[in-house]
Amino acid sequence: MATLLLEDLRKSFGSTPVLHGIDLALASGEMLVIVGASGCGKSTLLRLVAGLEVPTAGRIVLDGRDVAGLDPAARDIAMVFQNYALYPHMTVFENMAYGLRIRGLTRDAIRKRVGEVAELLGLGGLLARKPRQLSGGQRQRVAMGRAIVREPKLFLFDEPLSNLDAKLRVTMRAEIRRLQRRMGVTSLYVTHDQVEAMTLGDRLLVLHLGRPVQFATPMEVFERPADTYVAGFIGAPAMNFLAGRLGHGGSAVELDIGVTIPFADGRRPGPDGRKLTIGIRPEHVQPDPAGLALQVDLLEPLGSETVVIGRLPGGEMLSVKVAKADAPTEAMQVSFPAAHIHVFDAEAGLRLDATA
Amino acid sequence: MERRTIFPGIALPMLLVLPQLLLTVVFFLWPAGQAIWSSMTRADPFGIRTQFVGLENFADLFSDPLYVDSIGRTVVFCAAVTALSMGLALLLAVYADREIRGRGFYRILLIWPYAVAPAVSAVLWILLLHPQIGLVGRWLNRAGVQWNYKLDGTQAMLVVIVASAWKQVSYNFIFLLAGLQSIPRAVIEAARMDGAKGWFRFRTVVLPLLMPTVFFLLVVNLVYSAFDTFGTIQALTQGGPGKATETLVVKVYRDGVVNLDIGSSAAQSVVLMLGVIVLTVLQFRFLGRKVAE
Amino acid sequence: MNGRIDWPAHVMLGLGVLLFILPIWLVLAGATLDPAAIARGELSLVPRLDGWGVYAAVLAEGAPGAQPVGRMLLVSAGMALAIAAGKIVISILSAYAVTFFRFPFRMTAFWTIFITLMLPVEVRIMPTYSVMSDLSLINTFPGLTVPLIASATATLLFRQTFLAVPDELVEAARMDGAGPLRFLKDILIPVSAANLAALFVILFVYGWNQYLWPLLVATNPRLDTIVIGIVKMIGTETQTEWNRVMATAVLALLPPVAVVVLMQRWFVKGLTEGEK
């Protein structure tokens, strides 16, 4: 168990910067999920912490000790890889024991530790097998076991579930969360899957093009996205965006489609006429006989609910999530409840909170 | 192509690469340099002084009809060996690629000759083709063919070609079969759905996809027939009768080791070196393209 | 397979097999015949059942003008094993260095090794001989083997194998605390075992089948390999004891053929994956 502190961590490959200064502090036992689209630098960040890459600048402080210059082996960190990276020529037991062997534990101590962890993960009967004789889910467990036996200060997960089929992914997701809680090991978990991010993390770090754009709890990220990127990235189906301008002395938005929505929580700063982007999640769009006409393009039934994808009179795309029974066939009328709109500055894309 | 993950350290890798570098410099680069140097010098008849003569040895070489003949002979020999061994191997590979009973069995029986030394394959062929004692040679004579490769240059050439090609069929077979098996089944099935049959399907679909392997083997076979057949020829004919089977490698050995004509032998070595370099570059240019694909 | 027998394929492959088997059967059976009968032109494919003793005889005594075959087999085996083992060791080390490290002159080292591809013995006969005599390696066992140990082929093959090892495997080993030498021993070599086996076959055959090199550097008959020996045996054709030559030929090709057949699966895979 350990705290982790990153201070202005930067990384460039040649002259190409891939991480522009990451700062964060993790409490002992906390699980941080780093999420972002591919190429956002999330894997690089993980590899910097692991010691597999050397940072261009910045500090990595693990349990009060700066480990940025240390070899991976000296950091007391374990990692679960995307492709598991099991040693193909070793049995399950040998795979899990290898790190302990290098650390010079006695035979008996190794057997005891590996045995315990194997029981914990339900691998007890598989210890003599080679990785190629295991299923995907079993390999995944061995990879976890190899990390767990080491009893490291920090766990790193690099998209560990992305090679599993959908059903197994859900099971393993829950299991990872349970194990991490139970052992209380501080963890970094990298994923591009927003559902994994929402369900696993104590906190999320959303990365975009090598910059941290939001560092908060999953609910806060969902309810108060820091900018239009986060707003569009988290939540499915994705948030709708509509263009508009600030009006009525900052107390309402005049949407380009000709609707004015007063802010429910107070004024936004800036002169009237300031360009805004208004976000509203599909589940918050309200069917309303007095509302705007929406021409239906496509229906995506999800079972109990249906996503309606359609066009507003000006041609803007809009998706709406409605109960199955309410699904329209050709057209419907919608309105945007003031309590559920997200206000962003149109130029920088940053969230605009109420001033008072 | 480079690895993403590497180990730190400078002294260790240098130490690891040292043994091979040392052997390479002492037994490869140094002698090659020597060859280039001696190819431009000439010793006086008593071997006391050597003097620098520039490209004179090369000029002599290429104005020597014996050498020019040897080049032509080598080209014919290499082309024949390559064509014969690759053609036969392709035929066998096509049939071995079919789904027939006993595939694995046939395969073993067709690849083991890979292990036969060129010189030993020569011995096998002597016992088949020797005019007096050879199984086939005797029979030819009895049937009225004037068969004696020890006296007839054309027949001698035929014998060294057959013996050299025989040994190389297995190698080609292994690669061509692997090449055929690496063609995705779906492509063949698509061609079948399109109605392509038999020879037409082979020529329009299979062969083009096999071309990378064929090109690769072409170079390998040329190198094999130019250099590795020294033992075969030496055992069968020693380059004779007359000079009928004296390829470039046999000649460089004869002139250097037997007749001790250092300057000419060195010049011949340099010419051969250029030949290998051209072939290697060809092979790797083609290989490079394959890697990029 | 649909139950029907593919006759054309069986016929073609059968003919192919015959083409390879026939010469071998000829020497196998011919060795048992009476040498005088062979010289009279009575070589046949039917073995003489009481003639198998010739194999024991050549192993112990050889043929006129040559060493006992038993001794030559030992020299060949020693040479083939030394070359295969030596090449594998130095090639693993150098390929490991150029793929898993970054050091000054790394590419220079790589290209230097690569160049040896273009310099087979045949193109540098005389100068190599003089280097060998300067180093007093003529007529020595090291002279027979050491210069052949350096070659680019094995290094290139291992480099390719090593490049194909997933990065994550290396990273996992580093996270587990393995240093470079430990990684080489515990992970890289075991993981490359199949390629190593294939390469061993190729190199053993290469070493066993050498002809020009031993001809050049080992004039002492006690260092005759079996391949050298058999060519010597047929050199003096007038009093050649053909049954002994044939027995020797069988013994000369048996070991490398056995290695190829026994390790067939790895060998084919390694050969075709490596050289392309």
Side-chain angles (χ1 to χ4, degrees), chain B residues 3 5 20 27 138 150, chain C residues 41 94 124 162 165 171 237:
Chain B
R3 295 199 64 88
T5 311
Q20 172 130 28
F27 296 112
R138 227 167 53 206
K150 289 172 181 301
Chain C
S94 56
R124 51 189 167 85
F162 291 171
V165 170
E171 289 164 0
E237 239 183 59

Side-chain angles (χ1 to χ4, degrees), chain B residues 47 73 100 103-104 114 207 236 260:
Chain B
R73 201 177 294 127
I100 58 165
R103 264 206 306 191
Y114 168 85
L207 207 53
L236 276 168
L260 294 173

Side-chain angles (χ1 to χ4, degrees), chain A residues 1-128:
Chain A
M1 277 210 239
T3 56
L4 176 71
L5 186 73
L6 303 184
E7 276 179 10
D8 194 30
L9 197 62
R10 289 168 187 274
K11 177 68 181 173
S12 304
F13 290 112
S15 60
T16 318
V18 289
L19 279 181
H20 302 264
I22 307 286
D23 291 276
L24 59 85
L26 282 195
S28 196
E30 195 175 3
M31 176 107 160
L32 172 72
V33 175
I34 303 165
V35 64
S38 59
C40 71
K42 57 188 191 298
S43 283
T44 306
L45 177 56
L46 200 69
R47 294 165 55 76
L48 285 174
V49 176
L52 297 168
E53 301 278 359
V54 180
T56 312
R59 302 209 309 150
I60 302 166
V61 183
L62 184 59
D63 223 9
R65 186 172 64 134
D66 188 353
V67 297
L70 294 181
D71 201 62
R75 296 187 182 195
D76 202 7
I77 292 175
M79 184 155 167
V80 178
F81 292 88
Q82 184 173 4
N83 300 314
Y84 319 136
L86 300 179
Y87 308 123
H89 59 296
M90 296 186 189
T91 62
V92 169
F93 178 86
E94 288 164 337
N95 262 284
M96 289 168 58
Y98 188 62
L100 301 178
R101 226 174 79 206
I102 290 178
R103 279 171 177 71
L105 266 72
T106 65
R107 232 166 243 281
D108 290 337
I110 292 176
R111 200 166 307 136
K112 184 159 169 287
R113 279 261 278 278
V114 172
E116 284 167 9
V117 174
E119 277 317 309
L120 180 71
L121 290 166
L123 291 169
L126 304 174
L127 286 176

Side-chain angles (χ1 to χ4, degrees), chain A residues 289-337:
Chain A
L292 283 164
L294 183 73
Q295 192 66 41
V296 175
D297 273 358
L298 187 66
L299 294 177
E300 289 182 344
L302 300 176
S304 59
E305 288 167 317
T306 297
V307 177
V308 181
I309 298 166
R311 279 170 205 283
L312 291 172
E316 297 86 351
M317 299 284 295
L318 189 80
S319 41
V320 187
K321 204 184 212 177
V322 295
K324 185 181 158 208
D326 297 340
T329 47
E330 282 178 11
M332 66 185 293
Q333 284 78 41
V334 295
S335 66
F336 309 119

Side-chain angles (χ1 to χ4, degrees), chain B residues 1-10 12-14 16-17 19-21 23-32 34-35 88 91-92 95-96 98-101 104 106-120 123-128 130 132-135 138 142 150 166-167 169-171 173-175 178-179 182 213 216 220 227-228 230-231 234-236 249 252-253 256-257 260 262 265 269-270 272-273 276-277 280-281 283-284 287 290, chain C residues 1 6 8-10 12-14 16-17 19-21 23-24 26-27 38-39 41-45 90-91 93-94 96-97 99-104 106 109 112-120 122-128 130-132 135 137 146-147 149-151 155-156 159 162-163 165-168 170-171 174 178-181 183 202 205 209 211-212 215-216 227 230-231 234 237 242 245-246 249 252-253 256-257 260-261 264 267-268 271-272 275-276:
Chain B
M1 193 174 157
E2 299 275 333
R3 295 199 64 88
R4 181 179 72 190
T5 311
I6 50 162
F7 285 100
I10 287 176
L12 180 68
M14 286 181 130
L16 293 176
V17 84
Q20 172 130 28
L21 272 189
L23 290 179
T24 302
V25 170
V26 173
F27 296 112
F28 285 77
L29 298 189
W30 176 246
Q34 289 272 299
L88 199 53
L91 193 68
L92 292 173
Y95 283 106
R98 291 202 193 174
E99 296 206 345
I100 58 165
R101 208 174 278 277
Y106 280 123
R107 213 167 295 163
I108 294 190
L109 287 176
L110 290 171
I111 67 170
W112 63 267
Y114 168 85
V116 177
V120 173
V123 174
L124 301 181
W125 282 92
I126 287 177
L127 292 162
L128 280 170
H130 192 286
Q132 282 90 44
I133 64 162
L135 203 63
R138 227 167 53 206
R142 219 172 297 152
K150 289 172 181 301
W166 179 82
K167 187 234 152 348
V169 171
S170 296
Y171 183 91
F173 173 76
I174 294 168
F175 276 91
S182 71
T213 310
F216 165 80
V220 171
F227 297 100
D228 296 346
F230 174 77
Q234 193 71 3
L236 276 168
V249 170
V252 73
Y253 174 80
V257 180
L260 294 173
I262 306 296
S265 159
S269 286
V270 172
L272 286 178
M273 239 182 261
V276 190
I277 289 172
T280 314
V281 169
Q283 181 178 335
F284 275 82
L287 194 100
K290 262 199 80 177
Chain C
M1 269 179 250
D6 187 348
H10 283 289
M12 282 309 301
L13 293 174
V17 168
L19 177 69
F20 291 134
I21 291 284
I24 300 299
L26 178 66
V27 285
I38 302 173
E42 292 168 14
L43 184 58
S44 85
L45 292 169
I90 69 162
S91 301
L93 296 183
S94 56
Y96 182 52
T99 40
F100 282 92
F101 295 87
R102 299 286 175 270
F103 55 95
R106 183 175 70 101
T112 308
I113 293 168
F114 183 87
I115 279 177
T116 53
L117 267 191
M118 309 188 193
L119 299 170
E122 289 82 355
V123 309
R124 51 189 167 85
I125 295 180
M126 288 315 288
T128 310
S130 73
V131 168
M132 296 300 288
L135 296 173
L137 284 172
V146 174
I149 282 175
S151 94
T155 309
L156 290 178
R159 178 174 169 270
F162 291 171
L163 283 175
V165 170
D167 277 310
E168 289 196 337
V170 187
E171 289 164 0
R174 288 194 65 184
L181 290 178
F183 171 73
I202 297 166
V205 169
N209 290 350
Y211 177 70
L212 179 57
L215 186 66
L216 212 56
V227 174
I230 197 166
V231 178
I234 58 167
E237 239 183 59
W242 285 107
V245 171
M246 290 190 253
L253 57 79
V257 167
V260 164
V261 170
Q264 191 228 154
F267 155 69
V268 170
L271 188 70
T272 48
E275 298 217 2
K276 283 208 267 188

